[in-house]
Amino acid sequence: MRADAKRNYDRLVEAAREVFREQGYDASLDEVAKRAGVGPGTLYRHFPHRDALLDAIMQSWVQRVDEAVEKTLAFEGPPRDLLLGWFQEYVQLISLHKGGPAKITSAMGDPESPIYHKCQVLRGAHDQVIAALRERNALREDVETLQVIRLVGGVATVADQSELDLAAVRPLLEVVADGLIKA
Amino acid sequence: MRADAKRNYDRLVEAAREVFREQGYDASLDEVAKRAGVGPGTLYRHFPHRDALLDAIMQSWVQRVDEAVEKTLAFEGPPRDLLLGWFQEYVQLISLHKGGPAKITSAMGDPESPIYHKCQVLRGAHDQVIAALRERNALREDVETLQVIRLVGGVATVADQSELDLAAVRPLLEVVADGLIKA
DNA sequence: TGCTAACCGGAGAGTGTCTCCGTATCGTGG
DNA sequence: CCACGATACGGAGACACTCTCCGGTTAGCA
């Protein structure tokens, strides 16, 4: 890759991160190009479609996801609180910009999605947390990872679209957690 | 209202119902106008924005919602099954076309939304079902109607966006119901 | 039948997406 | 150090969608 190409690539990712955070995932891509100081042609050569840009942005997630999992697994309290804590981390992770939760949650179960592979990191994270709870025999037996992801993703999506704050989201997550924890 | 105006109004609503069902709530409004056999100007005079069209479409809901509530309240079995049955009715009601669940769920808590008042019918329906369960002392005390709506709306939204069938949605609703029913 | 308020619908401005291709730049091999 | 080919740049523009404005038309009443 030529030096100028790499420079523009990096600028575009950075600009996209900014614009998406400010205006949501529906923001104009020309705006992204403009802010990166390049023409639209350059943007579309590097990133054939919107999702490719999202994919690049999500690179930096991996580390943060790992940290969140580690923190969760180190938790010593009751299983319900562990699960609840993880849910809150997860909701924050996927709520980086407007439209994110919906995008990610639906990509999670769609191997055709351009960001499917990135989402598998999140799925693996869930697997680890769920496995830890199973070890303590705290979880209902018939639930699958994908179901948990969809439940929490649903809450995050609603929260995103209704612009709910953490205080409003928490009781929703509690209900989900209570429904998952063994009675 | 002049006869020709009413005729066009009705045609537009019917066309919108068709187009939204086929292509989702994001479909082109010019397409709706074309299918109704009128110009875009006529469409936008009758319906200043997309939501106004949705509002008109939702007119026919009221009756169906009432029927669903009645059916639910007549149910004699255990509270969990009553709640689950209602959830399924509700998800079907708001999943008339792609994008519907998200739209409705976020409008539910936003008095500024053009379809807010229509949504209050749905809210009233939830209130009735929840009141019935409270009477049986079957529900957790600290939950509010809006929270229940958001939880089920979240599941419906995810189902809509991931194109899940009823079989995939049911276990998700079960978790929510279990989290709401008194232990 | 004739009048007028109400309605119709197409042209077009504004915005966003995405492509094509002439031009500019990089970086290597001579 | 320079020249040249490969690579990348970016703006013009085709296309799609939303929404408005206004000249022409029509319904319905007197």
Side-chain angles (χ1 to χ4, degrees):
Chain A
M1 192 183 233
R2 253 167 61 171
D4 53 347
K6 169 150 181 48
R7 182 168 40 81
N8 280 335
Y9 181 98
D10 291 342
R11 276 189 187 174
L12 280 165
V13 173
E14 197 46 48
R17 208 189 300 274
E18 270 183 41
V19 172
F20 286 169
R21 185 166 42 230
E22 286 170 22
Q23 305 177 26
Y25 187 59
D26 292 333
S28 159
L29 293 188
D30 277 22
E31 167 68 24
V32 172
K34 196 183 293 176
R35 200 173 301 196
V38 304
T42 302
L43 187 156
Y44 285 100
R45 196 167 346 89
H46 284 299
F47 307 98
H49 38 252
R50 189 178 291 270
D51 285 350
L53 210 39
L54 182 56
D55 188 68
I57 290 178
M58 287 172 72
Q59 286 289 3
S60 68
W61 274 20
V62 179
Q63 198 191 337
R64 270 199 278 178
V65 172
D66 285 344
E67 284 171 13
V69 171
E70 211 168 315
K71 182 177 153 194
T72 300
L73 294 183
F75 182 76
E76 302 272 342
R80 179 183 188 273
D81 292 342
L82 185 152
L83 193 56
L84 208 47
W86 165 246
F87 283 171
Q88 289 187 49
E89 295 276 359
Y90 179 71
V91 169
Q92 282 183 358
L93 274 171
I94 67 171
S95 300
L96 283 181
H97 42 73
K98 206 154 171 48
K103 194 82 204 166
I104 289 162
T105 304
S106 66
M108 200 74 77
D110 171 23
E112 302 305 310
S113 166
I115 60 169
Y116 179 72
H117 286 96
K118 286 284 180 307
C119 287
Q120 294 316 296
V121 174
L122 288 174
R123 186 175 181 151
H126 270 278
D127 279 332
Q128 281 184 268
V129 174
I130 287 172
L133 287 172
R134 279 212 199 291
E135 232 170 74
R136 304 196 202 176
N137 194 29
L139 215 62
R140 265 174 53 169
E141 269 123 35
D142 55 345
V143 291
E144 296 160 19
T145 303
L146 197 50
Q147 292 176 350
V148 177
I149 288 175
R150 282 178 176 150
L151 281 164
V152 185
V155 171
T157 302
V158 169
D160 178 46
Q161 285 163 0
S162 301
E163 298 183 0
L164 305 183
D165 57 20
L166 190 61
V169 174
R170 206 169 195 282
L172 305 183
L173 294 177
E174 282 180 17
V175 171
V176 174
D178 286 337
L180 289 170
I181 294 286
K182 202 173 257 180
Chain B
M1 190 184 239
R2 248 168 66 170
D4 53 346
K6 168 147 180 52
R7 183 166 41 81
N8 281 336
Y9 182 97
D10 291 342
R11 276 190 188 174
L12 280 165
V13 172
E14 196 47 48
R17 209 190 298 275
E18 270 183 40
V19 172
F20 285 169
R21 185 165 41 231
E22 287 170 21
Q23 304 177 27
Y25 187 59
D26 293 332
S28 160
L29 293 189
D30 277 22
E31 168 68 24
V32 172
K34 196 183 294 177
R35 201 174 300 197
V38 305
T42 302
L43 188 156
Y44 284 99
R45 193 163 354 85
H46 284 300
F47 308 98
H49 38 250
R50 188 179 291 271
D51 284 350
L53 209 39
L54 182 56
D55 189 67
I57 290 179
M58 286 171 73
Q59 286 289 4
S60 67
W61 274 20
V62 179
Q63 199 190 337
R64 270 197 278 178
V65 172
D66 286 343
E67 284 170 12
V69 171
E70 210 167 316
K71 182 177 152 193
T72 299
L73 295 183
F75 182 76
E76 302 273 340
R80 179 184 189 271
D81 292 342
L82 186 153
L83 192 57
L84 207 49
W86 165 247
F87 284 172
Q88 289 188 51
E89 294 277 358
Y90 179 71
V91 170
Q92 282 184 357
L93 275 171
I94 67 172
S95 300
L96 283 181
H97 43 73
K98 208 156 169 48
K103 193 81 204 166
I104 289 163
T105 304
S106 68
M108 199 75 75
D110 171 23
E112 303 304 309
S113 165
I115 59 169
Y116 179 73
H117 286 95
K118 285 283 181 308
C119 288
Q120 293 316 298
V121 173
L122 288 175
R123 186 174 182 151
H126 270 278
D127 280 332
Q128 282 185 265
V129 173
I130 287 173
L133 287 173
R134 280 212 199 290
E135 232 169 75
R136 305 197 202 176
N137 194 30
L139 216 61
R140 267 175 51 170
E141 269 122 35
D142 55 345
V143 291
E144 295 160 19
T145 302
L146 196 50
Q147 292 176 349
V148 177
I149 288 174
R150 282 178 176 150
L151 281 163
V152 185
V155 171
T157 302
V158 168
D160 178 47
Q161 284 163 359
S162 302
E163 299 184 357
L164 305 184
D165 56 21
L166 189 62
V169 173
R170 204 168 197 284
L172 305 182
L173 294 176
E174 282 180 19
V175 171
V176 174
D178 286 338
L180 289 170
I181 294 286
K182 202 172 256 181

